[in-house]
Coordinates of all heavy atoms in Angstrom, one line a residue:
M13 N 44.2 -1.0 -125.2 CA 44.4 0.0 -124.2 C 44.5 1.4 -124.8 O 43.9 2.3 -124.3 CB 45.7 -0.3 -123.4 CG 45.9 0.6 -122.3 SD 44.6 0.5 -121.0 CE 45.5 -0.2 -119.7
K14 N 45.1 1.5 -126.0 CA 45.2 2.8 -126.6 C 43.8 3.3 -127.0 O 43.5 4.5 -126.9 CB 46.1 2.7 -127.8 CG 46.4 4.0 -128.5 CD 47.4 3.8 -129.6 CE 47.7 5.1 -130.3 NZ 48.7 5.0 -131.4
A15 N 43.0 2.4 -127.6 CA 41.6 2.8 -128.0 C 40.8 3.3 -126.7 O 40.1 4.3 -126.8 CB 40.9 1.7 -128.7
W16 N 40.9 2.5 -125.6 CA 40.2 2.9 -124.4 C 40.7 4.3 -123.9 O 39.8 5.1 -123.6 CB 40.5 1.9 -123.3 CG 39.5 0.8 -123.3 CD1 39.6 -0.5 -123.7 CD2 38.2 0.9 -122.7 NE1 38.4 -1.2 -123.5 CE2 37.6 -0.4 -122.9 CE3 37.5 1.9 -122.1 CZ2 36.3 -0.6 -122.4 CZ3 36.2 1.6 -121.6 CH2 35.6 0.4 -121.8
N17 N 42.0 4.5 -123.9 CA 42.5 5.8 -123.4 C 42.0 6.9 -124.3 O 41.6 8.0 -123.8 CB 44.0 5.8 -123.3 CG 44.5 4.9 -122.2 OD1 43.7 4.6 -121.2 ND2 45.7 4.5 -122.3
F18 N 42.0 6.7 -125.6 CA 41.5 7.7 -126.5 C 40.0 8.0 -126.3 O 39.6 9.2 -126.2 CB 41.7 7.3 -128.0 CG 41.2 8.3 -129.0 CD1 41.9 9.4 -129.3 CD2 40.0 8.1 -129.6 CE1 41.4 10.4 -130.2 CE2 39.5 9.0 -130.5 CZ 40.2 10.2 -130.8
Q19 N 39.2 7.0 -126.1 CA 37.8 7.2 -125.9 C 37.5 7.9 -124.6 O 36.6 8.8 -124.5 CB 37.0 5.9 -126.0 CG 37.0 5.2 -127.3 CD 36.5 6.2 -128.4 OE1 35.6 7.0 -128.2 NE2 37.1 6.1 -129.6
V20 N 38.2 7.5 -123.5 CA 38.1 8.2 -122.2 C 38.4 9.7 -122.4 O 37.7 10.6 -121.9 CB 38.9 7.5 -121.1 CG1 39.0 8.4 -119.9 CG2 38.3 6.2 -120.8
L21 N 39.5 10.0 -123.0 CA 40.0 11.4 -123.2 C 38.9 12.2 -124.0 O 38.6 13.3 -123.6 CB 41.3 11.4 -123.9 CG 41.8 12.8 -124.3 CD1 42.0 13.6 -123.0 CD2 43.1 12.7 -125.1
M22 N 38.4 11.6 -125.1 CA 37.4 12.3 -125.9 C 36.1 12.6 -125.1 O 35.5 13.6 -125.2 CB 37.1 11.5 -127.2 CG 38.2 11.4 -128.1 SD 38.9 13.0 -128.6 CE 40.4 13.2 -127.6
L23 N 35.7 11.6 -124.2 CA 34.5 11.8 -123.4 C 34.8 12.9 -122.4 O 33.9 13.7 -122.2 CB 34.1 10.5 -122.8 CG 32.8 10.5 -121.9 CD1 31.6 11.1 -122.7 CD2 32.5 9.2 -121.4
V24 N 35.9 12.8 -121.7 CA 36.2 13.9 -120.8 C 36.2 15.3 -121.4 O 35.7 16.2 -120.9 CB 37.6 13.6 -120.1 CG1 38.1 14.8 -119.3 CG2 37.5 12.4 -119.2
Q25 N 36.8 15.4 -122.6 CA 36.8 16.7 -123.3 C 35.4 17.1 -123.6 O 35.0 18.3 -123.5 CB 37.6 16.5 -124.6 CG 39.1 16.4 -124.4 CD 39.7 17.7 -123.8 OE1 39.5 18.8 -124.2 NE2 40.4 17.5 -122.7
A26 N 34.5 16.2 -124.0 CA 33.1 16.5 -124.4 C 32.3 16.9 -123.1 O 31.4 17.7 -123.2 CB 32.5 15.3 -125.0
M27 N 32.7 16.4 -122.0 CA 32.0 16.7 -120.7 C 32.4 18.0 -120.1 O 31.8 18.5 -119.2 CB 32.2 15.6 -119.7 CG 31.5 14.3 -120.1 SD 31.9 12.9 -119.1 CE 31.8 13.5 -117.5
L28 N 33.6 18.6 -120.5 CA 34.1 19.8 -119.8 C 33.0 20.9 -119.8 O 32.4 21.3 -120.8 CB 35.3 20.4 -120.6 CG 36.6 19.6 -120.4 CD1 37.7 20.2 -121.3 CD2 37.0 19.6 -118.9
G29 N 32.7 21.4 -118.6 CA 31.8 22.4 -118.4 C 30.3 22.0 -118.4 O 29.4 22.8 -118.2
A30 N 30.0 20.7 -118.7 CA 28.7 20.3 -118.8 C 28.1 19.6 -117.6 O 26.9 19.4 -117.4 CB 28.5 19.4 -120.0
V31 N 29.0 19.1 -116.7 CA 28.6 18.3 -115.6 C 28.0 19.2 -114.5 O 28.6 20.2 -114.1 CB 29.7 17.5 -115.0 CG1 29.4 16.8 -113.7 CG2 30.2 16.5 -116.0
T32 N 26.8 18.9 -114.0 CA 26.1 19.6 -113.0 C 26.1 18.8 -111.7 O 26.4 17.6 -111.7 CB 24.7 20.0 -113.4 OG1 23.9 18.8 -113.4 CG2 24.6 20.6 -114.7
P33 N 25.7 19.4 -110.6 CA 25.6 18.6 -109.3 C 24.7 17.4 -109.4 O 24.7 16.5 -108.6 CB 25.2 19.6 -108.3 CG 25.7 20.9 -108.8 CD 25.5 20.8 -110.3
N34 N 23.8 17.4 -110.4 CA 22.8 16.3 -110.5 C 23.4 15.1 -111.1 O 22.9 14.0 -111.0 CB 21.6 16.8 -111.4 CG 20.5 15.8 -111.5 OD1 20.1 15.2 -110.5 ND2 20.0 15.6 -112.7
F35 N 24.6 15.2 -111.7 CA 25.3 14.1 -112.3 C 25.9 13.3 -111.2 O 26.7 13.8 -110.4 CB 26.4 14.5 -113.2 CG 26.0 14.9 -114.6 CD1 25.1 16.0 -114.8 CD2 26.4 14.2 -115.7 CE1 24.7 16.4 -116.1 CE2 26.0 14.6 -117.0 CZ 25.2 15.7 -117.2
R36 N 25.6 12.0 -111.1 CA 26.1 11.1 -110.0 C 27.4 10.4 -110.6 O 28.4 10.3 -109.9 CB 25.1 10.1 -109.5 CG 23.9 10.8 -108.9 CD 22.9 9.8 -108.4 NE 23.5 9.0 -107.3 CZ 23.1 7.8 -107.0 NH1 22.2 7.1 -107.7 NH2 23.7 7.2 -106.0
M37 N 27.3 9.9 -111.8 CA 28.4 9.1 -112.4 C 28.2 9.0 -113.9 O 27.1 9.1 -114.4 CB 28.4 7.7 -111.8 CG 29.5 6.8 -112.2 SD 29.7 5.3 -111.2 CE 28.2 4.4 -111.6
V38 N 29.3 8.9 -114.6 CA 29.3 8.7 -116.0 C 30.3 7.5 -116.3 O 31.4 7.6 -115.8 CB 29.8 9.9 -116.8 CG1 29.8 9.6 -118.3 CG2 28.9 11.1 -116.5
V39 N 29.8 6.5 -117.0 CA 30.5 5.3 -117.2 C 30.6 5.0 -118.7 O 29.6 5.1 -119.4 CB 29.9 4.1 -116.5 CG1 30.6 2.8 -116.8 CG2 29.8 4.3 -115.0
L40 N 31.8 4.7 -119.1 CA 32.1 4.3 -120.5 C 32.3 2.8 -120.6 O 33.1 2.3 -119.8 CB 33.3 5.1 -121.0 CG 33.7 4.8 -122.5 CD1 32.6 5.2 -123.5 CD2 35.0 5.4 -122.8
S41 N 31.7 2.1 -121.5 CA 31.9 0.7 -121.7 C 31.9 0.4 -123.2 O 31.4 1.2 -124.0 CB 30.9 -0.2 -121.0 OG 29.6 0.1 -121.4
C42 N 32.4 -0.7 -123.5 CA 32.4 -1.2 -124.9 C 31.7 -2.5 -125.0 O 32.1 -3.5 -124.3 CB 33.8 -1.3 -125.5 SG 33.9 -1.6 -127.3
E43 N 30.6 -2.6 -125.7 CA 29.8 -3.8 -125.9 C 29.7 -4.2 -127.3 O 29.0 -3.5 -128.1 CB 28.4 -3.6 -125.2 CG 28.5 -3.2 -123.8 CD 27.2 -2.8 -123.2 OE1 26.2 -2.8 -123.9 OE2 27.1 -2.5 -122.0
V44 N 30.4 -5.2 -127.7 CA 30.4 -5.7 -129.1 C 30.6 -4.6 -130.1 O 29.8 -4.3 -130.9 CB 29.1 -6.5 -129.4 CG1 29.2 -7.2 -130.7 CG2 28.7 -7.4 -128.3
D45 N 31.8 -3.9 -130.0 CA 32.2 -2.8 -130.9 C 31.3 -1.6 -130.8 O 31.4 -0.8 -131.7 CB 32.3 -3.4 -132.3 CG 33.4 -4.4 -132.4 OD1 34.4 -4.3 -131.7 OD2 33.3 -5.3 -133.3
V46 N 30.5 -1.4 -129.8 CA 29.7 -0.2 -129.7 C 30.1 0.4 -128.3 O 30.1 -0.3 -127.3 CB 28.2 -0.5 -129.6 CG1 27.4 0.7 -129.4 CG2 27.7 -1.2 -131.0
W47 N 30.5 1.7 -128.4 CA 30.8 2.4 -127.1 C 29.5 2.8 -126.5 O 28.7 3.5 -127.1 CB 31.7 3.6 -127.4 CG 33.1 3.1 -127.9 CD1 33.5 3.0 -129.2 CD2 34.2 2.7 -127.1 NE1 34.8 2.5 -129.2 CE2 35.2 2.3 -127.9 CE3 34.4 2.6 -125.7 CZ2 36.5 1.9 -127.5 CZ3 35.6 2.1 -125.2 CH2 36.6 1.8 -126.1
V48 N 29.4 2.5 -125.2 CA 28.1 2.8 -124.5 C 28.5 3.8 -123.4 O 29.4 3.5 -122.6 CB 27.5 1.6 -123.9 CG1 26.2 1.9 -123.1 CG2 27.2 0.6 -125.0
I49 N 27.8 4.9 -123.3 CA 28.0 5.9 -122.3 C 26.8 5.9 -121.4 O 25.7 6.2 -121.9 CB 28.3 7.3 -122.9 CG1 29.5 7.2 -123.8 CG2 28.6 8.3 -121.7 CD1 29.7 8.4 -124.7
R50 N 26.9 5.6 -120.1 CA 25.8 5.6 -119.2 C 25.9 6.8 -118.3 O 27.0 7.0 -117.6 CB 25.7 4.3 -118.4 CG 25.3 3.2 -119.2 CD 25.2 1.9 -118.4 NE 24.8 0.8 -119.3 CZ 25.6 0.0 -120.0 NH1 26.9 0.2 -119.9 NH2 25.2 -1.0 -120.8
F51 N 24.9 7.6 -118.2 CA 24.8 8.8 -117.3 C 23.9 8.5 -116.2 O 22.7 8.1 -116.4 CB 24.3 10.0 -118.1 CG 25.2 10.4 -119.2 CD1 25.1 9.9 -120.5 CD2 26.2 11.4 -119.0 CE1 25.9 10.3 -121.5 CE2 27.0 11.8 -120.0 CZ 26.9 11.3 -121.3
Y52 N 24.4 8.6 -115.0 CA 23.6 8.3 -113.8 C 23.2 9.7 -113.2 O 24.2 10.4 -112.8 CB 24.3 7.5 -112.8 CG 24.6 6.1 -113.2 CD1 25.6 5.8 -114.1 CD2 23.7 5.1 -112.8 CE1 25.9 4.5 -114.5 CE2 23.9 3.7 -113.3 CZ 25.0 3.5 -114.1 OH 25.2 2.2 -114.5
L53 N 22.0 10.0 -113.2 CA 21.5 11.3 -112.7 C 20.7 11.1 -111.4 O 20.0 10.1 -111.3 CB 20.6 12.1 -113.7 CG 21.3 12.4 -115.0 CD1 20.2 13.0 -116.0 CD2 22.5 13.2 -114.9
E54 N 20.7 12.0 -110.5 CA 19.9 11.9 -109.3 C 18.4 12.2 -109.6 O 17.6 11.5 -109.1 CB 20.4 12.9 -108.2 CG 19.7 12.8 -106.9 CD 20.4 13.6 -105.8 OE1 21.4 14.3 -106.1 OE2 19.8 13.6 -104.7
K55 N 18.2 13.3 -110.4 CA 16.8 13.7 -110.7 C 16.7 13.8 -112.2 O 17.7 14.1 -112.9 CB 16.5 15.0 -110.1 CG 16.5 14.9 -108.6 CD 16.3 16.3 -108.0 CE 16.5 16.3 -106.5 NZ 16.5 17.6 -105.9
N56 N 15.5 13.7 -112.8 CA 15.2 13.9 -114.2 C 15.0 15.4 -114.4 O 13.9 15.9 -114.3 CB 14.0 13.1 -114.6 CG 13.9 13.0 -116.1 OD1 14.7 13.5 -116.9 ND2 12.8 12.5 -116.6
I57 N 16.1 16.1 -114.8 CA 16.1 17.5 -115.0 C 16.3 17.7 -116.5 O 17.3 17.3 -117.1 CB 17.1 18.2 -114.2 CG1 16.8 18.0 -112.7 CG2 17.2 19.7 -114.5 CD1 17.9 18.6 -111.7
E58 N 15.4 18.5 -117.1 CA 15.4 18.7 -118.6 C 16.7 19.3 -119.0 O 17.3 18.9 -120.1 CB 14.2 19.5 -119.0 CG 14.1 19.7 -120.5 CD 12.8 20.5 -120.9 OE1 11.8 20.4 -120.1 OE2 12.9 21.1 -121.9
D59 N 17.2 20.3 -118.3 CA 18.5 20.9 -118.7 C 19.7 19.9 -118.7 O 20.5 20.0 -119.6 CB 18.8 22.1 -117.7 CG 17.9 23.3 -117.9 OD1 17.2 23.4 -119.0 OD2 17.9 24.2 -117.0
D60 N 19.7 19.0 -117.8 CA 20.7 18.0 -117.8 C 20.6 17.0 -118.9 O 21.6 16.6 -119.5 CB 20.8 17.2 -116.4 CG 21.3 18.1 -115.3 OD1 22.0 19.1 -115.6 OD2 20.9 17.8 -114.1
T61 N 19.4 16.7 -119.3 CA 19.2 15.9 -120.5 C 19.7 16.6 -121.7 O 20.3 15.9 -122.6 CB 17.7 15.5 -120.6 OG1 17.2 14.9 -119.4 CG2 17.4 14.6 -121.7
A62 N 19.4 17.9 -121.8 CA 19.9 18.6 -123.0 C 21.5 18.7 -122.9 O 22.1 18.6 -124.0 CB 19.4 20.0 -122.9
E63 N 22.1 18.8 -121.8 CA 23.5 18.8 -121.7 C 24.1 17.4 -122.1 O 25.1 17.4 -122.8 CB 24.0 19.0 -120.2 CG 23.9 20.4 -119.8 CD 24.9 21.4 -120.4 OE1 25.8 20.9 -121.1 OE2 24.7 22.6 -120.2
I64 N 23.4 16.3 -121.8 CA 23.8 15.0 -122.2 C 23.8 14.9 -123.7 O 24.7 14.3 -124.3 CB 23.0 13.9 -121.5 CG1 23.4 13.9 -120.0 CG2 23.2 12.5 -122.2 CD1 22.5 13.0 -119.2
E65 N 22.7 15.4 -124.3 CA 22.7 15.4 -125.8 C 23.8 16.2 -126.4 O 24.4 15.7 -127.4 CB 21.3 16.0 -126.3 CG 20.1 15.1 -126.0 CD 18.8 15.8 -126.3 OE1 18.8 16.9 -127.0 OE2 17.8 15.3 -125.9
D66 N 24.2 17.3 -125.8 CA 25.3 18.1 -126.3 C 26.7 17.3 -126.1 O 27.5 17.4 -126.9 CB 25.4 19.4 -125.5 CG 24.3 20.4 -125.9 OD1 23.6 20.1 -127.0 OD2 24.1 21.4 -125.2
I67 N 26.8 16.6 -124.9 CA 28.0 15.8 -124.7 C 28.1 14.8 -125.7 O 29.2 14.6 -126.3 CB 27.9 15.2 -123.3 CG1 28.1 16.3 -122.2 CG2 29.0 14.1 -123.1 CD1 27.7 15.8 -120.8
I68 N 27.1 14.0 -126.0 CA 27.1 13.0 -127.0 C 27.5 13.5 -128.4 O 28.3 13.0 -129.2 CB 25.8 12.2 -127.1 CG1 25.6 11.5 -125.7 CG2 25.8 11.2 -128.2 CD1 26.7 10.5 -125.3
C69 N 26.9 14.7 -128.8 CA 27.2 15.3 -130.0 C 28.6 15.7 -130.1 O 29.3 15.5 -131.1 CB 26.3 16.5 -130.2 SG 26.5 17.4 -131.8
Q70 N 29.2 16.3 -129.1 CA 30.6 16.7 -129.1 C 31.5 15.5 -129.1 O 32.5 15.5 -129.8 CB 30.8 17.6 -127.8 CG 32.2 18.2 -127.8 CD 32.4 19.2 -128.9 OE1 31.5 20.0 -129.2 NE2 33.5 19.2 -129.6
Y71 N 31.2 14.5 -128.3 CA 31.9 13.2 -128.3 C 32.0 12.6 -129.7 O 33.1 12.2 -130.2 CB 31.3 12.3 -127.3 CG 31.9 10.9 -127.3 CD1 33.1 10.6 -126.7 CD2 31.2 9.8 -127.8 CE1 33.6 9.3 -126.7 CE2 31.7 8.5 -127.8 CZ 32.9 8.3 -127.2 OH 33.4 7.0 -127.2
A72 N 30.9 12.6 -130.4 CA 30.8 12.0 -131.7 C 31.6 12.9 -132.7 O 32.3 12.3 -133.6 CB 29.4 11.9 -132.2
A73 N 31.7 14.2 -132.5 CA 32.4 15.1 -133.4 C 33.9 14.8 -133.3 O 34.6 15.1 -134.3 CB 32.1 16.5 -133.0
Y74 N 34.4 14.3 -132.2 CA 35.8 14.0 -132.0 C 36.2 12.7 -132.7 O 37.4 12.4 -132.7 CB 36.2 13.9 -130.5 CG 36.1 15.2 -129.8 CD1 35.6 15.2 -128.5 CD2 36.6 16.4 -130.3 CE1 35.5 16.4 -127.8 CE2 36.6 17.6 -129.6 CZ 36.0 17.6 -128.3 OH 36.0 18.7 -127.6
Q75 N 35.3 12.0 -133.2 CA 35.5 10.6 -133.7 C 35.6 10.6 -135.3 O 35.1 11.5 -135.9 CB 34.4 9.7 -133.3 CG 34.1 9.7 -131.8 CD 35.2 9.2 -130.9 OE1 36.0 8.3 -131.3 NE2 35.3 9.7 -129.7
D76 N 36.0 9.5 -135.8 CA 35.8 9.3 -137.2 C 34.4 8.7 -137.5 O 33.7 8.4 -136.6 CB 36.9 8.4 -137.8 CG 36.9 7.0 -137.3 OD1 35.8 6.5 -136.9 OD2 38.0 6.3 -137.3
S77 N 34.1 8.6 -138.7 CA 32.7 8.3 -139.1 C 32.3 6.8 -138.8 O 31.1 6.5 -138.8 CB 32.4 8.6 -140.6 OG 33.3 7.8 -141.4
S78 N 33.3 6.0 -138.5 CA 33.0 4.6 -138.2 C 32.6 4.3 -136.8 O 32.2 3.2 -136.4 CB 34.1 3.7 -138.6 OG 35.3 4.0 -137.8
L79 N 32.7 5.3 -135.9 CA 32.4 5.1 -134.5 C 30.9 4.7 -134.3 O 30.0 5.4 -134.8 CB 32.7 6.3 -133.7 CG 32.3 6.2 -132.2 CD1 33.4 5.5 -131.4 CD2 31.9 7.5 -131.6
Q80 N 30.7 3.7 -133.5 CA 29.3 3.3 -133.1 C 29.2 3.6 -131.6 O 30.0 3.0 -130.8 CB 29.0 1.9 -133.4 CG 29.0 1.6 -134.9 CD 28.7 0.1 -135.1 OE1 28.0 -0.5 -134.4 NE2 29.2 -0.4 -136.2
C81 N 28.3 4.4 -131.2 CA 28.1 4.7 -129.8 C 26.6 4.9 -129.5 O 25.8 5.2 -130.4 CB 28.9 5.9 -129.3 SG 28.3 7.5 -129.9
K82 N 26.3 4.7 -128.3 CA 24.9 5.0 -127.8 C 25.0 5.4 -126.3 O 26.0 5.2 -125.7 CB 24.0 3.7 -127.9 CG 24.4 2.6 -127.0 CD 23.4 1.4 -127.1 CE 23.6 0.4 -126.1 NZ 22.6 -0.6 -126.1
S83 N 24.0 6.1 -125.9 CA 24.0 6.6 -124.5 C 22.7 6.1 -123.8 O 21.7 5.8 -124.4 CB 24.1 8.1 -124.5 OG 22.9 8.7 -125.1
E84 N 22.9 6.0 -122.5 CA 21.7 5.7 -121.6 C 21.7 6.6 -120.5 O 22.8 7.0 -120.0 CB 21.9 4.2 -121.1 CG 21.9 3.2 -122.2 CD 22.1 1.8 -121.6 OE1 22.3 1.6 -120.4 OE2 22.2 0.9 -122.5
I85 N 20.5 7.0 -120.0 CA 20.4 7.9 -118.9 C 19.6 7.1 -117.8 O 18.5 6.6 -118.1 CB 19.6 9.2 -119.2 CG1 20.4 10.0 -120.3 CG2 19.4 10.0 -118.0 CD1 19.6 11.2 -120.8
L86 N 20.2 7.0 -116.7 CA 19.6 6.2 -115.5 C 19.4 7.2 -114.4 O 20.3 7.9 -114.0 CB 20.5 5.1 -115.1 CG 20.7 4.1 -116.2 CD1 22.1 4.1 -116.6 CD2 20.2 2.7 -115.8
V87 N 18.1 7.3 -113.9 CA 17.8 8.3 -112.9 C 17.4 7.6 -111.6 O 16.7 6.7 -111.6 CB 16.6 9.2 -113.4 CG1 16.2 10.2 -112.4 CG2 17.0 9.9 -114.7
G88 N 17.9 8.2 -110.5 CA 17.5 7.6 -109.2 C 18.6 7.8 -108.2 O 19.7 8.3 -108.4
N89 N 18.2 7.4 -106.9 CA 19.1 7.5 -105.8 C 19.6 6.2 -105.3 O 20.2 6.1 -104.3 CB 18.4 8.2 -104.6 CG 18.2 9.6 -104.8 OD1 19.1 10.3 -105.3 ND2 17.1 10.2 -104.4
E90 N 19.4 5.1 -106.1 CA 19.8 3.8 -105.7 C 21.4 3.8 -105.6 O 22.0 4.6 -106.2 CB 19.4 2.7 -106.7 CG 17.9 2.6 -106.9 CD 17.2 3.6 -107.8 OE1 17.9 4.2 -108.6 OE2 16.0 3.9 -107.6
N91 N 21.9 2.7 -105.0 CA 23.3 2.5 -105.0 C 23.9 2.5 -106.4 O 23.3 1.8 -107.2 CB 23.7 1.3 -104.2 CG 23.5 1.4 -102.7 OD1 23.4 2.5 -102.2 ND2 23.3 0.3 -102.0
L92 N 25.0 3.1 -106.6 CA 25.6 3.1 -107.9 C 26.2 1.7 -108.1 O 26.7 1.1 -107.1 CB 26.7 4.1 -108.0 CG 26.2 5.6 -108.0 CD1 27.3 6.6 -107.9 CD2 25.3 5.8 -109.2
P93 N 26.2 1.2 -109.3 CA 26.7 -0.2 -109.5 C 28.2 -0.2 -109.4 O 28.9 0.8 -109.6 CB 26.3 -0.5 -111.0 CG 26.2 0.9 -111.6 CD 25.7 1.8 -110.5
S94 N 28.7 -1.4 -109.1 CA 30.2 -1.7 -109.1 C 30.5 -2.0 -110.6 O 29.7 -2.2 -111.4 CB 30.6 -2.8 -108.2 OG 29.6 -3.8 -108.2
F95 N 31.8 -2.0 -110.9 CA 32.3 -2.1 -112.2 C 32.9 -3.4 -112.6 O 33.5 -4.0 -111.7 CB 33.4 -1.0 -112.5 CG 32.9 0.4 -112.2 CD1 33.3 1.0 -111.1 CD2 32.1 1.0 -113.1 CE1 32.9 2.3 -110.9 CE2 31.6 2.3 -112.9 CZ 32.0 2.9 -111.7
S96 N 32.6 -3.8 -113.8 CA 33.3 -5.0 -114.3 C 34.5 -4.5 -115.1 O 34.7 -3.3 -115.2 CB 32.3 -5.8 -115.2 OG 32.0 -5.1 -116.4
E97 N 35.3 -5.4 -115.6 CA 36.5 -5.1 -116.3 C 36.2 -4.3 -117.6 O 37.0 -3.5 -118.0 CB 37.2 -6.4 -116.7 CG 38.6 -6.1 -117.2 CD 39.4 -7.4 -117.4 OE1 39.4 -8.2 -116.4 OE2 40.0 -7.6 -118.4
G98 N 35.0 -4.4 -118.2 CA 34.7 -3.7 -119.4 C 34.1 -2.3 -119.2 O 33.5 -1.8 -120.1
N99 N 34.2 -1.8 -118.0 CA 33.7 -0.4 -117.7 C 34.7 0.5 -117.2 O 35.6 0.0 -116.4 CB 32.5 -0.5 -116.7 CG 31.4 -1.3 -117.2 OD1 30.9 -1.1 -118.3 ND2 30.9 -2.3 -116.4
R100 N 34.6 1.8 -117.5 CA 35.4 2.8 -116.8 C 34.6 3.9 -116.4 O 33.8 4.5 -117.1 CB 36.5 3.3 -117.8 CG 37.6 2.3 -118.1 CD 38.8 3.1 -118.6 NE 39.8 2.1 -119.0 CZ 40.8 2.4 -119.7 NH1 41.0 3.6 -120.1 NH2 41.6 1.4 -120.1
A101 N 34.7 4.3 -115.1 CA 34.1 5.5 -114.6 C 34.9 6.7 -115.0 O 36.1 6.8 -114.8 CB 34.0 5.4 -113.1
V102 N 34.2 7.5 -115.8 CA 34.9 8.7 -116.3 C 34.6 9.9 -115.3 O 35.4 10.8 -115.2 CB 34.4 9.1 -117.7 CG1 34.9 10.3 -118.2 CG2 34.7 7.9 -118.6
Y103 N 33.5 9.8 -114.6 CA 33.2 10.8 -113.6 C 32.3 10.1 -112.5 O 31.5 9.3 -112.8 CB 32.3 12.0 -114.2 CG 31.7 12.9 -113.2 CD1 32.5 13.9 -112.6 CD2 30.4 12.7 -112.7 CE1 32.0 14.7 -111.6 CE2 29.9 13.5 -111.7 CZ 30.7 14.5 -111.2 OH 30.2 15.3 -110.2
R104 N 32.6 10.5 -111.3 CA 31.8 10.0 -110.2 C 31.9 11.1 -109.1 O 33.0 11.5 -108.6 CB 32.3 8.7 -109.6 CG 31.4 8.2 -108.5 CD 31.7 6.8 -108.2 NE 30.8 6.4 -107.1 CZ 30.6 5.1 -106.7 NH1 31.1 4.2 -107.4 NH2 29.8 4.9 -105.7
R105 N 30.7 11.6 -108.6 CA 30.7 12.6 -107.6 C 30.9 11.9 -106.2 O 30.6 10.7 -106.1 CB 29.4 13.4 -107.6 CG 28.2 12.7 -107.1 CD 27.0 13.6 -107.1 NE 25.9 12.9 -106.4 CZ 24.7 13.3 -106.4 NH1 24.3 14.4 -107.1 NH2 23.7 12.7 -105.8
K106 N 31.3 12.6 -105.3 CA 31.5 12.1 -103.9 C 30.1 12.0 -103.3 O 29.3 12.9 -103.3 CB 32.3 13.1 -103.1 CG 32.6 12.5 -101.7 CD 33.6 13.5 -101.0 CE 33.9 12.9 -99.6 NZ 34.9 13.8 -98.9
E107 N 29.8 10.8 -102.7 CA 28.5 10.6 -102.1 C 28.7 10.0 -100.7 O 29.6 9.2 -100.5 CB 27.6 9.6 -102.9 CG 27.2 10.2 -104.2 CD 26.2 9.4 -105.0 OE1 25.8 8.3 -104.6 OE2 25.7 9.9 -106.0

């Protein structure tokens, strides 16, 4: 639980000022010792993709060198997925 709380806090800090109205949801999960950050965007906007790269860079800067993480960008208007126990929504806009 302590590791999860730390990772959520670091991701929130990295996202400060970077989230635009195009961001629908950001989810953090841990899959076999790799932290996965999924960004759900409404549209494929180049500026938002650049913001995501900055978020990941900042998030990694808060970590020690042993952190393994990856990010995924999912674009569309489909229904947002529900969560399993291994996922945490760090951001979700009102829809």
Side-chain angles (χ1 to χ4, degrees):
M13 184 64 112
K14 187 176 179 179
W16 267 101
N17 289 339
F18 178 78
Q19 294 305 325
V20 169
L21 177 61
M22 293 304 98
L23 182 54
V24 168
Q25 289 296 307
M27 290 172 44
L28 285 175
V31 175
T32 70
N34 189 42
F35 281 64
R36 297 180 68 205
M37 185 167 64
V38 179
V39 176
L40 178 67
S41 61
C42 189
E43 300 173 1
V44 191
D45 297 327
V46 176
W47 293 97
V48 180
I49 305 168
R50 290 184 179 89
F51 295 89
Y52 293 83
L53 303 177
E54 186 172 357
K55 299 174 185 170
N56 189 8
I57 298 174
E58 187 176 331
D59 287 346
D60 288 336
T61 303
E63 285 290 351
I64 289 170
E65 289 175 12
D66 290 345
I67 290 169
I68 296 302
C69 182
Q70 188 65 43
Y71 173 74
Y74 291 138
Q75 311 292 331
D76 64 27
S77 61
S78 65
L79 176 84
Q80 294 182 30
C81 73
K82 69 177 186 172
S83 63
E84 298 175 3
I85 300 173
L86 300 113
V87 179
N89 286 323
E90 297 82 23
N91 288 335
L92 293 171
S94 37
F95 303 105
S96 67
E97 191 173 308
N99 296 309
R100 287 205 188 164
V102 177
Y103 169 82
R104 183 171 177 159
R105 77 177 186 193
K106 184 175 181 178
E107 295 190 352

